Structure formats: structure tokens, C-alpha cells
């Protein structure tokens, strides 16, 4: 039997990625894909600005870095911000069992939709994630609207 991982410790990896993105001049959203046994499979961050690629979200970056996995039911997608529709679709498509969300205050994304469809979603309400994202959105409203497809 696998013990419940320390989700806040896993979130630290995603926050590190978000901070790296911020330091690169990008959108500070980071993510990490873990196996439920605690192994880190891959991590990444939003690189829309850095690479001019709107398809590189934190979650998709972490997912791609993890390479091919046989199954995803026992994996945990950890992300600093609630996943958008695109990333929520990724979670459903590959049957990722658990999503750990740093915060859903600045953006609620697909949290309810994932729960309604059987994904376990844990929202940590992490103050570091709330302030990092909130401050960034306040300073970059145009870029934020572009990232969530509102413009
Ligand atoms: Zn996304």
C-alpha cells in the first residue's frame, strides 16, 4: 500500500518551476508529474513567452518531460494554478488519477469538471501560489488574458 504523499512537498517542485518561468520573463505557472510512490517523473513551466508557443503550459511541459508512461492512473499532476480546459483535457485523456492544485483563487479552471468526472482534485490554497499569480496578473493583464484565451 502506498502512503499518501506529502502534497505540499510535491508542490514545492511546481513552485520552483513557476519561479524559474518568472525569472525568464514568462508566465509563472509551474507543474510536476509524480508517481504516487513519490517518484518525480517530469516537471516544467509555462513557456508561452520564452518560446512563443501557446501550447506549452506548465502541465503539458511536465507531461512531455515525463516521457512515455505505461499508465497514468497512479500519477499525480501537481500544478501551481488550477488547470485550464486544455490541461484539464490532458488529465482526462490520459486518466491521470490525482491533480494537486496550488491555488484556484486567481483562476478556477477545470477543477469542478475534473471532480465531476472522477478525478481526485486536491486544492491546497497555498499562499505563495496565490500571491505570486495575483501579483503577476495585476502587472500583466494583457498577457494573462492571452494565456487563458480571453482576448
Ligand atoms: Zn493549461
Amino acid at each position: 500500500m502506498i502512503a499518501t504523499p506529502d502534497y505540499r512537498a510535491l508542490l514545492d517542485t511546481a513552485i520552483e518551476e513557476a519561479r524559474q518561468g518568472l525569472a525568464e520573463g514568462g508566465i509563472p505557472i509551474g507543474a510536476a508529474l509524480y508517481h504516487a510512490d513519490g517518484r518525480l517523473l517530469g516537471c516544467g513551466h509555462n513557456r508561452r513567452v520564452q518560446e512563443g508557443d501557446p501550447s506549452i503550459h506548465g502541465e503539458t511541459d511536465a507531461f512531455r518531460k515525463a516521457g512515455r508512461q505505461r499508465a497514468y492512473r497512479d500519477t499525480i499532476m501537481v500544478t501551481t494554478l488550477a488547470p485550464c480546459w486544455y490541461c484539464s483535457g490532458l488529465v482526462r485523456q490520459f486518466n491521470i488519477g490525482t491533480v494537486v492544485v496550488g491555488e484556484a483563487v486567481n483562476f478556477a479552471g477545470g477543477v469542478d469538471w475534473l471532480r465531476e468526472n472522477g478525478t481526485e482534485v486536491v486544492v491546497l490554497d497555498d499562499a505563495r501560489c496565490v500571491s505570486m499569480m495575483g501579483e503577476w496578473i495585476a502587472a500583466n493583464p494583457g498577457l494573462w488574458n492571452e494565456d487563458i484565451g480571453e482576448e
Side-chain angles (χ1 to χ4, degrees):
M1 178 169 163
I2 296 165
T4 303
D6 179 350
Y7 291 140
R8 285 204 187 265
L10 305 189
L11 181 63
D12 287 345
T13 304
I15 290 174
E16 259 323 297
E17 285 286 338
R19 287 179 177 152
Q20 193 183 322
L22 187 62
E24 293 165 0
I27 302 171
I29 304 172
L33 187 69
Y34 276 90
H35 191 275
D37 66 10
R39 265 181 303 133
L40 176 62
L41 302 172
C43 54
H45 55 269
N46 187 300
R47 287 186 279 120
R48 166 186 292 267
V49 174
Q50 296 92 317
E51 304 209 4
D53 186 344
S55 75
I56 309 176
H57 286 198
E59 298 92 324
T60 57
D61 198 29
F63 181 80
R64 294 181 69 179
K65 298 258 172 61
R68 288 168 61 190
Q69 303 292 322
R70 289 178 60 91
Y72 291 90
R73 176 51 65 187
D74 290 333
T75 64
I76 304 167
M77 179 63 84
V78 186
T79 178
T80 55
L81 182 68
C84 70
W85 291 116
Y86 165 55
C87 296
S88 296
L90 176 91
V91 168
R92 292 280 316 277
Q93 173 67 33
F94 292 92
N95 275 315
I96 292 171
T98 304
V99 176
V100 173
V101 174
E103 65 112 339
V105 176
N106 288 300
F107 184 66
V111 166
D112 290 341
W113 182 71
L114 287 169
R115 282 182 174 145
E116 284 162 16
N117 288 282
T119 306
E120 185 180 354
V121 182
V122 180
V123 179
L124 295 177
D125 265 325
D126 186 275
R128 297 167 297 174
C129 294
V130 175
S131 62
M132 178 167 54
M133 203 64 219
E135 287 165 18
W136 185 87
I137 290 170
N140 302 276
L143 190 49
W144 170 240
N145 284 329
E146 177 187 317
D147 195 56
I148 59 175
E150 296 284 328
E151 211 164 67

